[in-house]
Amino acid sequence: MSFPITLAFVPQGHFTQPYLALPCLKAWLQAAGFDDVEQRDLSIEAYDHFLSPAYLRRAQERVRERLPLSTFEGRENLPLGELRAFRSAAESEVSANAVIADVEAAKAVLRSEDFYNVDRYVPAVRTLYHGLRLVSAAHYPSELTPHNFTMGYANDRSEEVLAATLDEDQNPFIEFYREKVLPGLIARKPRLFGLSVVYGSQLIPALTLGRMVKAALPDCHITAGGGFLAYIGEKLMGAAGVEECLDSMIFHEGEAPMAELAGALEAWNGPEQADLSAIGSLTWFKHSDTGCETVANPPAHPVALSEAPPPDFDGLPFDLYLAPEVVLPYDINRGCYYGECSFCTLPTVIGPGYRTRAAETIAGHLTDLRDRHGVQNFSFITDCMPPGMIRDLPEALIEAQPDIPAEARMKWWCDARIEPRAYTKEAAIRLHESGCRKLLFGFESATPRLLKLMRKAQSPRSVADVARNCSEAGISVTLYAMVGFPSETVEEARATLDFIREHKDIVREVSLQTFHIDEVALTYRDPEQFNIKILDGAGTDLQLYHDYLSEEGMTQQEAAEMFDEMMNALRADLPIFSGDNIYYFMQKSHYFLHLARGTTPDEFVAQCQQRTEDQKVLKPEGPLRANAARTGIRLPFSHVAAANTLAHPLARAARPDFLTGRFVADAQAVAEEQLEPLTPQECVLVYDEVGHEFVELSRDGLRVLEAIERAGNVDSLLESLKSTTPGARERLTDYITQLHRKGLITSFQPAAALPSASTETHELTSL
Ligand code: SF4
C-alpha cells in the first residue's frame, strides 16, 4: 500500500536556489522503501505567487484601504511609530502600477541571459524588491523581503507566535496556503507531512501551515524539523497550543527519525494513537483522555554520511528560482572538524560529531547530479572544509571529469576555515582548477586578543596569506567579520575595518554581523569567562538570544552604531558593496554565477568600480528630455527623512532583529524618546519607471521636470532662460545633471522635426 509523504520547505528562504534539507530527506526515505515522497519548496512558490501582477494588484487595493495616504495630511508631526506606515503608503501609491506592469519581465530577466547585463539586472532586482514592499504594505506591519519575514508579533513568545498564525490581516501566508497549497494536499492526502524550518523567519509560516493542514487532514501526522528548531524546538514543544499546529518535532538530523516515523505510522492501524516512543530524536504529543503530554525521546544515532545517498532534487521547481542557472546545494560533510570557536553553535545544532563523505563519492554524486539535472554549479553546504578535503577533493573532481577543459568543469563555492598550511599557493591553484570560484572564510576580527578569546586559533597574518593565495589563484574571497564581541573596543573594531580596507585587493566581499549571544553558545553557558552578565528575558518563553552587560568594551548599542560605521566604510571602499553593486552580494549565488561563467574576480570588481565611477561623473550629453516614464505624488512629509530615521540603529532595534527575529524589550519606547518626530516638509516622491527607483524632489524639482516637458527638451529650456536671474542657468544645469544621474532626464534621438521650443521664461530660483 502506498504511504504518501509530503515534505515542505516553508517560506521564507532565499529565492535564488533550492535548499538541501528536503532533497536529503527524500533520498533517505526512498532508500528506506518509501517511494511516494513529494517535496515542495513553498518559499519559492510563495515568492512567485506574490510577485505576480494579479497578486500585486490585490495588494495595491489592500494598501489603499489599510494605509490611505490621506491619513498623513495636515498632521503637525509624524512620530517614529508611524514612519513605516507613511513610507509604505507613499511608496506603494507611487510605484505600484509600474511594478505590476514590469514584475513578470523582471523575473524573466533574472531567469535568463539578461541577468548578466547589469543595466537589465539592477532595475529587475529593484522591481522585485519594490514588489515585496507592496506585499508587505498590504499586510502592514509585516515585512517580507528577499532575506527575511517578520510580523508585528514577537518570534520569542509562543503566545504571539500562535496568534500570528491566525491573523489573516498581517499574515500573507494564510491566503496563499488556502488558495495554492491546501487544494493539492487535500487531493493527495499525505499520511506524513514534514515542515523544514531552517530560519527563524519560517517559524510563523510553518506553524500557520501546520495548523491549516491539521484542520483539513486530521489523519495526517505533521512533524517539523530543521536548524532553527534545534535551538528553540524544545521550548516550543512545551508551549501550550502548539499541539494545534504540530504532532511532533525532529531534532538535529532528520533522515533516520523521519524514516522511522514513516515506518511506525505506516504500520499503525489501530484506533489508538500510534506509539512513537522508540523513534530517536523525536519529541511528540501523546494524547489521552486526560490531555496532551509532551514526550521527548532519546537522541538518535547520527547518520553515517559516507553511506547516505546523494540528495534527490526531483520535483523541485527549478524554473521558479530567480537565477539564470540553478546552483545545487550539496553536503560534503556535517559538523565542524574544528568545533572550538567560543561564539559558534553550528557544530552543536547539526547533530553530534563530525562526519564526511569521501572525495571520490562527492565527485561521483556531483557528476550524477550534473547529468541528471543539467546543472554545472554547486554550493557545498559545510561549516568548513577540512585540510584533507582541501587536498583530496580537487583531485577527485578533476579525475571525475576527464577530457573536460578546466573552464568547462563544474563550479562550486563553500565556507572555509583559515588553514594556512592547507591553502598554499599550489593548493589554491588546484582548487581553482577543480572549479572552486569562491571561498568564505571565518575572519571575525583583526585583533589577536579577541581571536584568542574566540578560540579561533588563527592570526590576521594567516588570514592575509590564505586570502592572497586564493585570490591570486582566481578564487573570490569573502570574509565573515564580527563586531561587538564581549570586551571589543571601538579601536579594535576599527582595526578590523582597517585590515579589510588594506586588503581590498584580495578581499571581495565581507559578511559583517553584530555579535549575538544565543543559549547554545559558550558565551551564554560560561559568561564569567568573557566577563559579561547575561540579562534575563522575562516573559519570552521561546527566547534564544540574550542581551548582556559587558564591563569592558562597547555596549550592545555602541556595537550597533559601529556596525553602521563599518558598513558605510565598506560601501565606500569595496567595489561590490558600492551603490547598486551590492545587489550581487545580497542575492545569494548571483555574484558566484558571474564567476562560474568565466568572469574573474578582478574583472568583476573592475566592472563594479567602473560603474560606480561612471555614475559619479555621469554628464548629460546630447539631446535630453524629461523621462516621461515616471509617476510622482506630493507628500506632506519627506520620504527621505522618514527613511533616514527608520535606518537609525535605535529605530532598527525597535523592529524584529534581522538575524534573531525578536523584538528588543522597550526598544520602541527608547527610540520614540530619542528620535525626533518628522515635521511637515512638502515634497514630491517620484518613481522612475525605467530604472525602478524612488527619487524625492522638492516642489521646485518637479517644476523643473515639468518645465523641460513643456519646453520639449533641456536645450530649449536653457535657451529660454538666457535673460533670467544671473546664475540661474548654471544652477539649473547642475540640477539637471543630478536629475540625469537619477534617471529622470534621459537622452533621446531627435526626430526630423523637433517640437517647437517654448519661449516661456521659467523662474527657477530655489533649487
Ligand atoms: S566558526 Fe567555523 S571553524 Fe569555528 S567552530 Fe564554527 S564552524 Fe567550526
Side-chain angles (χ1 to χ4, degrees):
M1 191 182 87
S2 156
F3 184 80
I5 301 172
T6 295
L7 308 171
F9 182 78
V10 287
Q12 169 280 324
H14 298 283
F15 55 38
T16 60
Q17 66 175 62
Y19 280 78
L20 186 61
L22 302 191
C24 285
L25 287 170
K26 183 175 194 280
W28 190 277
L29 285 165
Q30 286 176 166
F34 295 96
D35 51 16
D36 187 4
V37 182
E38 172 194 56
Q39 58 181 337
R40 289 189 67 175
D41 184 341
L42 297 181
S43 179
I44 191 61
E45 288 184 37
Y47 273 122
D48 192 59
H49 173 66
F50 292 151
L51 292 170
S52 66
Y55 187 88
L56 292 177
R57 184 69 68 195
R58 269 152 60 191
Q60 181 187 34
E61 284 161 18
R62 268 179 66 100
V63 180
R64 283 180 174 157
E65 279 165 28
R66 297 178 81 242
L67 300 174
L69 257 178
S70 54
T71 317
F72 306 99
E73 293 289 349
R75 300 281 303 275
E76 279 181 16
N77 60 43
L78 214 51
L80 176 67
E82 292 182 73
L83 292 190
R84 276 191 64 237
F86 166 69
R87 193 172 82 166
S88 299
E91 290 180 352
S92 301
E93 185 58 34
V94 75
S95 69
N97 285 334
V99 170
I100 292 165
D102 284 355
V103 71
E104 287 298 348
K107 288 191 288 186
V109 165
L110 294 196
R111 292 170 180 153
S112 68
E113 274 294 300
D114 284 343
F115 167 93
Y116 296 101
N117 175 347
V118 66
D119 295 327
R120 304 273 293 151
Y121 174 81
V122 168
V125 175
R126 282 196 199 127
T127 304
L128 300 182
Y129 272 58
H130 296 154
L132 293 177
R133 288 205 202 183
L134 188 54
V135 175
S136 304
H139 299 87
Y140 179 85
S142 298
E143 234 178 356
L144 176 66
T145 72
H147 313 285
N148 206 3
F149 172 65
T150 54
M151 293 178 67
Y153 293 90
N155 233 18
D156 54 7
R157 295 165 177 84
S158 61
E159 211 175 309
E160 293 208 26
V161 167
L162 291 171
T165 66
L166 295 166
D167 184 345
E168 187 150 359
D169 199 42
Q170 283 195 34
N171 186 337
F173 298 107
I174 296 177
E175 185 189 76
F176 166 70
Y177 293 148
R178 189 168 53 234
E179 290 182 3
K180 299 290 170 189
V181 180
L182 277 190
L185 283 177
I186 290 169
R188 175 172 163 73
K189 290 190 180 51
R191 296 275 308 282
L192 173 58
F193 186 51
L195 300 163
S196 174
V197 184
V198 179
Y199 306 117
S201 61
Q202 295 175 287
L203 180 63
I204 292 170
L207 295 180
T208 303
L209 181 57
R211 183 189 289 283
M212 293 173 79
V213 174
K214 245 178 138 22
L217 297 168
D219 292 335
C220 177
H221 182 102
I222 299 164
T223 193
F228 183 67
L229 297 180
Y231 290 98
I232 59 121
E234 209 180 304
K235 293 179 177 181
L236 186 65
M237 289 299 279
V242 174
E243 71 279 3
E244 289 166 20
C245 305
L246 298 176
D247 294 302
S248 67
M249 188 175 291
I250 292 171
F251 286 84
H252 307 302
E253 281 175 332
E255 287 101 329
M258 193 75 177
E260 285 179 40
L261 178 60
L265 294 171
E266 187 181 34
W268 169 72
N269 61 3
E272 301 297 319
Q273 184 184 7
D275 181 7
L276 305 177
S277 53
I279 300 164
S281 298
L282 188 82
T283 294
W284 53 292
F285 294 121
K286 188 174 184 178
H287 300 278
S288 68
D289 294 344
T290 54
C292 173
E293 178 196 353
T294 305
V295 182
N297 297 346
H301 287 295
V303 301
L305 192 61
S306 53
E307 291 158 27
D312 181 342
F313 295 91
D314 283 356
L316 286 179
F318 280 15
D319 53 338
L320 291 189
Y321 295 103
L322 292 167
E325 295 175 60
V326 172
V327 179
L328 287 186
Y330 176 86
D331 49 344
I332 58 171
N333 56 21
R334 291 189 191 174
C336 171
Y337 69 93
Y338 177 67
E340 290 292 326
C341 303
S342 60
F343 58 86
C344 178
T345 54
L346 292 175
T348 316
V349 297
I350 199 85
Y354 168 73
R355 287 143 298 137
T356 185
R357 302 188 199 252
E360 293 70 27
T361 310
I362 296 170
H365 285 172
L366 295 191
T367 48
D368 287 350
L369 290 169
R370 176 197 64 190
D371 298 342
R372 184 164 178 171
H373 299 292
V375 298
Q376 274 289 92
N377 304 310
F378 295 88
S379 62
F380 293 160
I381 307 300
T382 170
D383 289 341
C384 48
M385 263 215 301
M389 185 78 82
I390 297 164
R391 184 192 59 229
D392 298 343
L393 188 57
E395 303 311 320
L397 285 171
I398 292 167
E399 257 175 47
Q401 303 172 83
D403 310 322
I404 296 183
E407 62 279 6
R409 289 186 191 129
M410 296 177 286
K411 307 293 188 304
W412 55 274
W413 63 283
C414 73
D415 284 351
R417 183 180 138 70
I418 295 292
E419 293 284 3
R421 283 197 211 136
Y423 292 101
T424 60
K425 278 183 193 301
E426 297 71 31
I429 290 167
R430 203 62 177 150
L431 281 163
H432 184 266
E433 285 172 355
S434 80
C436 178
R437 290 295 178 269
K438 173 164 141 167
L439 289 171
L440 299 87
F441 292 98
F443 157 58
E444 318 308 353
S445 166
T447 301
R449 180 187 76 80
L450 289 170
L451 290 170
K452 199 169 167 201
L453 262 182
M454 294 175 188
R455 301 188 185 168
K456 286 298 292 181
Q458 70 190 35
S459 66
R461 170 83 193 270
S462 60
V463 174
D465 289 346
V466 166
R468 188 159 303 284
N469 288 346
C470 291
S471 184
E472 285 176 359
I475 298 169
S476 181
V477 170
T478 304
L479 295 185
Y480 290 109
M482 192 187 289
V483 57
F485 192 78
S487 80
E488 184 179 35
T489 63
V490 166
E491 292 71 31
E492 286 170 334
R494 289 194 180 128
T496 297
L497 177 61
D498 289 344
F499 178 94
I500 296 167
R501 286 157 138 178
E502 281 158 21
H503 295 89
K504 67 178 181 179
D505 59 325
I506 50 175
V507 175
R508 311 301 181 178
E509 300 170 308
V510 178
S511 179
L512 180 68
Q513 299 192 350
T514 43
F515 173 74
H516 293 283
I517 290 191
D518 70 53
E519 289 187 1
V520 186
L522 184 67
T523 37
Y524 178 79
R525 288 180 281 119
D526 191 4
E528 291 79 23
Q529 233 189 86
F530 303 91
N531 224 354
I532 53 174
K533 182 168 179 282
I534 306 285
L535 300 176
D536 283 341
T540 57
D541 63 333
L542 301 182
Q543 180 164 21
L544 167 60
Y545 295 94
H546 285 260
D547 288 337
Y548 62 93
L549 290 176
S550 175
E551 291 190 359
E552 310 155 62
M554 290 181 280
T555 62
Q556 282 184 275
Q557 180 58 36
E558 286 165 347
E561 285 162 17
M562 179 51 68
F563 175 89
D564 280 6
E565 181 183 322
M566 292 172 79
M567 276 309 291
N568 289 338
L570 293 174
R571 292 214 57 174
D573 270 13
L574 292 193
I576 300 184
F577 276 44
S578 65
D580 300 327
N581 302 324
I582 201 163
Y583 285 131
Y584 290 106
F585 167 74
M586 288 167 71
Q587 314 315 313
K588 195 171 175 176
S589 288
H590 282 187
Y591 166 47
F592 167 74
L593 282 172
H594 280 265
L595 302 176
R597 206 178 204 229
T599 307
T600 67
D602 282 344
E603 287 166 351
F604 192 81
V605 159
Q607 284 169 21
C608 289
Q609 216 154 13
Q610 189 60 49
R611 196 161 171 268
T612 308
E613 291 306 314
D614 288 351
Q615 280 170 341
K616 272 190 212 153
V617 297
L618 191 62
K619 286 246 180 330
E621 280 170 13
L624 298 167
R625 66 183 169 199
N627 176 3
R630 66 171 202 273
T631 314
I633 52 168
R634 292 179 194 278
L635 295 178
F637 293 90
S638 161
H639 171 265
V640 169
N644 287 343
T645 306
L646 287 167
H648 191 281
L650 285 172
R652 289 209 313 269
R655 282 289 301 159
D657 180 84
F658 174 78
L659 280 177
T660 64
R662 78 186 171 114
F663 285 99
V664 177
D666 71 14
Q668 179 74 27
V670 173
E672 296 254 1
E673 194 186 299
Q674 295 196 26
L675 299 175
E676 293 287 326
L678 291 196
T679 50
Q681 181 188 339
E682 272 202 43
C683 65
V684 179
L685 184 64
V686 175
Y687 190 69
D688 162 18
E689 297 168 10
V690 178
H692 283 277
E693 203 170 7
F694 295 106
V695 184
E696 182 173 296
L697 300 176
S698 63
R699 294 185 66 156
D700 280 350
L702 187 66
R703 288 174 60 206
V704 171
L705 277 181
E706 289 167 351
I708 295 168
E709 257 168 0
R710 281 198 301 277
N713 59 58
V714 169
D715 284 348
S716 302
L717 177 67
L718 291 174
E719 186 65 23
S720 70
L721 280 173
K722 269 185 178 161
S723 58
T724 57
T725 325
R729 190 185 157 94
E730 289 68 31
R731 287 206 304 280
L732 181 61
T733 306
D734 283 352
Y735 193 70
I736 285 171
T737 303
Q738 290 173 41
L739 292 177
H740 181 53
R741 285 178 194 160
K742 291 287 177 195
L744 295 182
I745 303 231
T746 53
S747 310
F748 72 103
Q749 285 295 328
L754 278 172
S756 58
S758 161
T759 51
E760 188 184 345
T761 301
H762 304 273
E763 294 241 48
L764 298 162
T765 51
S766 57
L767 298 176

